Every structure is written in C-alpha cells, then in structure tokens.
Amino acid sequence: MADPVVRWRDDGTPFSPRFGDVYRSAGPAGALAQARQVFLHGCGLLPTPGQEAIWRGAPRWQVLEAGFGLGLNFLTTWHAWRQAAERPRQLFYTAVEAVPPEPDDLRRSAAPFPELAPLAESLIAPWHGLLPGVHRLRLDGGQVQLTLAIGDVQPMLAELTGEYDSVFLDGFEPACNPQMWRLHTLRAVARLARRGARLATRCVADEVRERLVACGFEVEGTTAAGSPPALRARYAPRWTPRPRRSGDEAPMVAQPARCAVVGAGLAGAAVARALALRGWQVTVLDSAAHPAAGASGLPAGVVAAHVSPDDRPLSRLTRAGARATLATARDLLQDGIDFGATGVLERHAPGERRLPADWAAAIDSEAAGAGVASAETQITQEKAAQAGVPLNADERALWHTHAGWLRPAALVRAMLQTPGITWRGASPVARVTADGARWRLADAGGALLAEAELVVITAGFDSLGLLQASGDQDASALPLHALRGQVAFGPMPGGAADEALPRFPVNGHGSLIAHVPGAGGPMWVIGSTFERGNPRADVLPADHQHNLQRLTELLPRAANALAPQWVDGRAGAWAGVRATLPDRLPAVGAWPVHEQNQAPALDGQAPAAINSEASTPPLPVHLLTGLGARGLTLALLCADVLTAGLHGEPLPVERSLARRLRAGRWLTRHPGS
C-alpha cells in the first residue's frame, strides 16, 4: 500500500513521507504564527502600526505560492482578505503542489484555528478530481479564485500565467526538495512576478539568497532572532525582463471601460458577467426580444466532461468547464429547480471512451481519495443495474461524479442580472466599425446601437456573418460551420412509468434527462440530433422520430414509457443552431478586424474620417464562438479565459491549453494572412 500524502505525528505535526520533512512548525501556535509572520507580514498583507496593508484599495491582488502543502497560507491569506479594510475586489491565489492532500488532512490542519476552520470546509467542497494539471476553484461567490497547479514545480510554473503582487516560497527544505530551490525554478518564479512584487520565504539558506539576487530580487533581510526564520525580498531587476506576452496575444486593458457584447446566449452572458465583476460597464445586444433565444434556449442540457484514452485537450477543457459551470450554477441558481449536480452515466461500446491508462480505472470513487481521484470512473454492470440502467454483457459505462443537468436559459437570465450589465433586446447588430479608440455598433439601417472601447462577439454561427458584414478582410479565415440540433421534450409519464426514467442524465447514443422540474410539472428532455451545414433552426418531423429511435437504443425501458407521447402529441420538439470549428475547440480572444480606416455614416451623418496618427487604435474585436454541442460545459470557462487574458490574470487552465483556443490560430493557417 502506498504511503499517505500526509502522516500525522503524535504531537500533531504533519509530515510528508515523500519529501521526508515536516509541513510546518510543531504545534498550532507555531503554524499560524509562521503563516502570518513569515508570509503575510513578510509581503505586507497585514497592517502594522502606522502602515496599512499593501493591498488596500487595489482592484485585485494576485498571490503566487510554490508549495501549497495543507493550505494554511492560503486560508490565512483568504481570512486576512476578508477582514481587510477596502480590500481588493478579487483575490487570485495560485499555488503549485506536487501531490494534493486529502480533504480530511485539510480539515485536520485547520481545525485548531476557529477563524480558519469554516474556510477550510468551503475549500473542501470543490476539492475533487485534482489530477495533474491546472484547476480553478471558485470561492466566496467567485471573488476568491484559487488556481491549483498539480505536478512538479518546474513544469507547472511554466504552465502558469499572471503578474503576481506577492510571492510565497514555502517548499520543503533544500536538502529534502532541491528542485524547488534551483536557479531554473526561481527564474520561473521571477518570470511571473510583477516589478515591485514582494517575496517571502522561511528558507534563509545562503544559496537561496544568492539565486534570488541572480533572478532580479533585492533581498531586504531576514527576521530577527526570536521570530520564525524568514527572508524577504522585492522583485526589482536591473534589466528589462522579456515580454511575458507573445506578439499574437491582445494587449491588456489599462482599466475597465465600456464593453458591448453581441449575443445573449450562454457565451455572451458569461463574458458580460465576467467583465462586469471586474468593473466594466457592459451592454449586451441581441436581435431577439429576450435572452437565450438561440441555441441557449434548450429546455435542459447535460453538463459533463468528455473522456478520451489520451486525455486530449477537449477532455481536459471539458473537465475544467464542468467545474466552472456547476460552481456558477450553485452561486446563482436553485439546486433541483434550475440545475442538478446529480452525476451523469455515459454508456459506450467496448473499447470506446476508455479512461487514460494512468488513471485508476475500474475503482469506486468512494474508495479512492476524493482529493486526487478522477471525477470519472468505470463502473460495473452490477452498479449500473442498481442505478436502474442495466448494461448488456459487452457494454461498458462511465460514471461522471461531478456532472449533472442544467437549464441554460435560467443561467443566462441570472448572469445578466449582475450589476454593471445592461441588456438590450431587439437590437440586431449589423456592423462593427472602429472609430478612433472606440467601436461603433450599428444596425442594418446605419442607426447607432452602442459605442464601446471593447467589443466581444458571441453570436454563435452568426458571428461569421457579422465579421463579414463589418468588412473584415480576414473573416474567410475563420472556418465556422453551422451545427443544427433538435431535441424532444414532454411531461413525465406519471405513476410506475416514472421509475423507468433514471433520476440522473444518461448519455451515449443520444441522451435523456428526466425528472426536471417545469412550470407545468416534471418533464423529460431527449436528444440531440446533429446536422452539419444547416443554419436554420427548423423543427423537422423526421428528427423528432429519430430522437425516439435513439432513446430506444439508449434506454429501451424509458423509450417504452415515453413512446405514447409521440402518438398523442404530448412530446414536443425544439431546434437550435450551434457553431463548430474543424478542430472541435472554441475560438476565444482577439480577432483583428481589418477594414478601411473610416467609420460609416450613422443616422444620415457624413462619414467620420479617422486620423490614424491622432487617434489611439481600439482594442481588437474579441470572439467567443465555436462551442459546438458543449456550450453548457465550455461557455463559462472560455469566458474566464478571455477575461483573464485581457486583464493579465492567471488563466483557469494550463497556458499551453489556453493557446489552443486562440481565435487568431486560424489566421496563422490562412495563406492570405
């Protein structure tokens, strides 16, 4: 049996068998004093007599920690942020950890501290599925964003982004964990620090001091005798560091301003909310009279990760996306009414959708450590039968623990209620034109609908048409395709027939979501069909019958219970058009709109000539489209990626993974670009 991540000594000191070192000073008092004195005071995050905490009045604060351990530094920082006067609107805390501890260890570590124990319980709630890679945990209603980079310190630092204001170096001692203190590692830390950032560590070894100086830090000294050993430094290189951002990334915004979002589906509402939470004044425009009139008007949909043997980018993205969507749903919606984190059963043929070889396949999630186990597990025929979904002898199934169903329109409406957002329906945007440092959005008749410093187009497949109508010479490089889908829905059959419909979604060859509360009583939803190249959301009788046939193959008992509703007309149908790209990944971020340098005439006015030398060019138009059939799972995550890139914040996924989403990737493949 493998050693536990943490071994607790008789005196309560946590010990790491892997590194052969203690996590912190012996005794509760020493542990909390170390967190506060060494790290928070060392970086100026706690007030001192005659001096305010350094983060007072800042719009946001970013902390980088190498060595998350049992999370005591994070919990102490979170608590200090909560108590701070004029605290930053958002706290971004990014931590690297080789092996995450189990929830019980987090709880035991914080238990002696009454002010931290409740925060530890809030942290434990999303503490699951922490496979190697980057994970974003949203806490305090999203105001606190904990980014966990799970893996060895050097490769994980290379996957991080952001410009950090405070740096905690809290790895095990150099003799036990030499990789943590190597020059290469400290250079990676310096790459992430903003000029002037403060650094604190309890390691006072001479070689560490020398390496920090070589990386551009000015060491300010160590603590006096009688205090916990500590070293303090400030990032002040005497050279100009290399740019952190590559040339194909959009410039960061200096401060929030006005933003116009085109499209009021999940993508548009998610972007609008993310920007409004950062102080932007956002206007959301849509041609429809009400939000979620397009593909996001789906009666209910499944939120679950894609699983692949090679754990491909789409699989990693959807794992992060399901976490982001369900976290926001818990903050904004009624559990059991507008969404349900019920888990999802996915059926598949032998050999399909296997778990990656290095995952603990065929284990019960209850038997595995909740902190490190995958959210997806292979289940047995017996377990599936107990859940009311018997499998054939040659079938396999996955159980997605952290998954469920959601009403997308309810989430869209809730997100649009965020302060700072103005919703404007019946406002069809036909053209977006640069005018100095701002964008003008006009309808087909030339009437001005909005002006803004930033434009984000989230209009699904119609995004391509808007780029073309705006005179974008590069629009042909975006290979956006229409993907029409149709679902069936109706009332629960009632009585004993209800038992034939599982209490959780089942997907595979089609999908079924049952027992969904509705205005007219509980309902079911099945689908969806996939028709490529059709941009019309017409309801087709053939697809309606096809959905019943697919349900017959997926869940025969459920199909028998619902088939009478196709005969008597109770089964309704809904269709929507989604947008997809050839690599099955969304387009997120800057898209340079190349057009003639003149704003069009508006409301009968003469054209407004733009003096390119005298005016500041606006930020590039940004896109969030190409979500395909996984908009519910990916929209909120992609909105976070877009917003983080604009503000220089830590990305919610690996740096290499976010680069695969860049909208501009298609321009580099276009011969004429």
Side-chain angles (χ1 to χ4, degrees):
M1 183 176 178
D3 280 331
V5 176
V6 183
R7 182 177 293 149
W8 293 88
R9 291 176 171 172
D10 293 341
D11 64 356
T13 301
F15 176 81
S16 169
R18 174 175 178 173
F19 292 101
D21 197 3
V22 296
Y23 279 89
R24 62 199 189 202
S25 306
L32 191 56
Q34 177 177 283
R36 287 178 173 159
Q37 294 299 322
V38 173
F39 296 102
L40 272 72
H41 273 298
C43 287
L45 301 181
L46 289 176
T48 57
Q51 186 172 357
E52 299 288 350
I54 194 173
W55 58 12
R56 179 168 180 166
R60 67 176 183 269
W61 202 260
Q62 300 185 48
V63 180
L64 173 66
E65 180 178 29
F68 184 79
L70 297 175
L72 193 61
N73 290 338
F74 166 66
L75 295 175
T76 307
T77 304
W78 184 7
H79 179 263
W81 172 83
R82 278 189 158 193
Q83 301 298 312
E86 299 181 33
R87 70 188 185 194
R89 180 185 291 114
Q90 286 192 300
L91 172 62
F92 291 91
Y93 196 107
T94 300
V96 180
E97 177 58 40
V99 182
E102 295 301 322
D104 286 345
D105 293 318
L106 294 174
R107 183 179 289 112
R108 181 171 179 176
S109 173
F113 317 114
E115 66 270 47
L116 302 185
L119 300 181
E121 291 300 323
S122 297
L123 174 60
I124 287 168
W127 194 267
H128 55 73
L130 300 180
L131 295 162
V134 173
H135 306 268
R136 172 64 56 82
L137 277 57
R138 294 155 177 81
L139 304 161
D140 247 344
Q143 289 184 286
V144 176
Q145 307 261 358
L146 172 61
T147 305
L148 289 171
I150 305 301
D152 291 339
V153 62
Q154 289 186 12
M156 294 319 301
L157 284 171
E159 290 285 8
L160 296 179
T161 57
E163 295 185 6
Y164 293 89
D165 307 288
S166 304
V167 178
F168 300 167
L169 297 183
D170 195 21
F172 294 106
E173 289 299 315
C176 302
N177 186 15
Q179 185 185 42
M180 166 73 192
W181 306 100
R182 288 174 179 159
L183 181 61
H184 183 75
T185 302
L186 298 180
R187 281 177 177 162
V189 169
R191 177 186 66 82
L192 295 165
R194 70 165 176 82
R195 185 175 286 272
R198 297 189 182 185
L199 177 146
T201 177
R202 58 192 175 97
C203 180
V204 296
D206 288 342
E207 62 268 25
V208 171
R209 178 198 296 261
E210 293 168 0
R211 290 167 190 165
L212 286 172
V213 171
C215 293
F217 287 92
E218 292 182 352
V219 176
E220 298 179 341
T222 56
T223 52
S227 300
L231 181 151
R232 299 176 181 180
R234 185 187 300 270
Y235 186 58
R238 295 175 181 156
W239 59 88
T240 301
R242 293 180 181 178
R244 292 181 172 88
R245 300 167 71 83
S246 60
D248 59 356
E249 293 179 285
M252 290 188 298
V253 296
Q255 60 185 6
R258 298 172 299 173
C259 176
V261 176
V262 183
L266 275 168
V271 167
R273 174 174 168 79
L275 290 170
L277 290 174
R278 288 158 176 80
W280 288 75
Q281 294 300 309
V282 185
T283 301
V284 180
L285 303 137
D286 198 286
S287 58
H290 57 85
S296 297
L298 180 74
V302 174
V303 179
H306 174 275
V307 179
S308 57
D310 56 354
D311 202 24
R312 65 193 60 169
L314 180 62
S315 300
R316 290 149 54 200
L317 282 168
T318 53
R319 274 205 307 277
R323 183 191 289 273
T325 298
L326 292 176
T328 303
R330 291 186 181 97
D331 288 340
L332 300 181
L333 302 180
Q334 290 182 279
D335 192 355
I337 303 297
D338 297 317
F339 84 102
T342 55
V344 172
L345 181 68
E346 179 182 357
R347 301 180 72 169
H348 59 88
E352 292 183 356
R353 293 286 177 90
R354 298 185 308 273
L355 295 175
D358 58 346
W359 290 15
I363 62 170
D364 259 343
S365 58
E366 294 85 0
V372 298
S374 166
E376 289 78 34
T377 56
Q378 199 88 44
I379 67 172
T380 63
Q381 292 186 5
E382 290 76 14
K383 185 170 182 179
Q386 291 171 5
V389 187
L391 301 176
N392 297 326
D394 60 344
E395 280 190 294
R396 298 292 183 271
L398 292 177
W399 177 252
H400 300 262
T401 306
H402 304 288
W405 59 269
L406 187 145
R407 291 178 172 276
L411 183 56
V412 168
R413 290 191 296 267
M415 289 191 291
L416 291 178
Q417 294 301 311
T418 304
I421 297 177
T422 300
W423 147 252
R424 288 178 55 190
S427 301
V429 178
R431 186 175 175 86
V432 177
T433 310
D435 183 4
R438 66 184 185 274
W439 294 97
R440 291 185 172 192
L441 293 84
D443 65 15
L448 182 66
L449 297 174
E451 291 183 318
E453 286 70 33
L454 173 66
V455 170
V456 185
I457 299 175
T458 65
F461 180 67
D462 292 338
S463 301
L464 180 59
L466 179 54
L467 289 174
Q468 294 169 335
S470 298
D472 179 19
Q473 299 171 11
D474 289 328
S476 60
L478 185 65
L480 204 61
H481 301 290
L483 180 65
R484 177 189 162 278
Q486 183 170 317
V487 303
F489 63 94
M492 289 294 293
D498 278 5
E499 298 305 315
L501 278 65
R503 296 276 172 180
F504 46 79
V506 178
N507 66 8
H509 185 68
S511 66
L512 168 68
I513 310 169
H515 306 278
V516 177
M523 62 181 293
W524 53 265
V525 181
I526 66 170
S528 161
T529 62
F530 294 87
E531 183 185 0
R532 299 186 183 278
N534 186 351
R536 297 175 58 87
D538 300 326
V539 170
L540 303 179
D543 281 5
H544 193 47
Q545 195 62 36
H546 182 59
N547 276 325
L548 177 59
Q549 178 59 36
R550 291 188 357 141
L551 180 62
T552 301
E553 298 171 13
L554 179 69
L555 293 169
R557 288 182 58 213
N560 288 335
L562 297 180
Q565 297 192 22
W566 264 256
V567 178
D568 60 24
R570 286 179 294 161
W574 175 94
V577 176
R578 300 152 296 192
T580 185
L581 289 159
D583 60 5
R584 300 179 67 193
L585 298 177
V588 182
W591 181 269
V593 175
H594 296 147
E595 58 175 350
Q596 292 183 348
N597 200 21
Q598 178 174 304
L602 299 175
D603 294 327
Q605 301 174 10
I610 298 175
N611 184 341
S612 60
E613 296 180 356
S615 50
T616 303
L619 289 166
V621 164
H622 281 61
L623 296 180
L624 203 175
T625 187
L627 298 170
R630 298 187 179 276
L632 264 176
T633 302
L634 290 177
L636 278 85
L637 175 71
C638 290
D640 283 345
V641 170
L642 187 153
T643 308
L646 277 168
H647 294 85
E649 298 169 357
L651 288 166
V653 295
E654 293 93 325
R655 183 186 187 189
S656 59
L657 193 55
R659 285 187 59 81
R660 289 177 174 267
L661 305 181
R662 292 177 303 110
R665 70 188 186 270
W666 298 105
L667 289 172
T668 62
R669 304 178 186 184
H670 190 50
S673 62

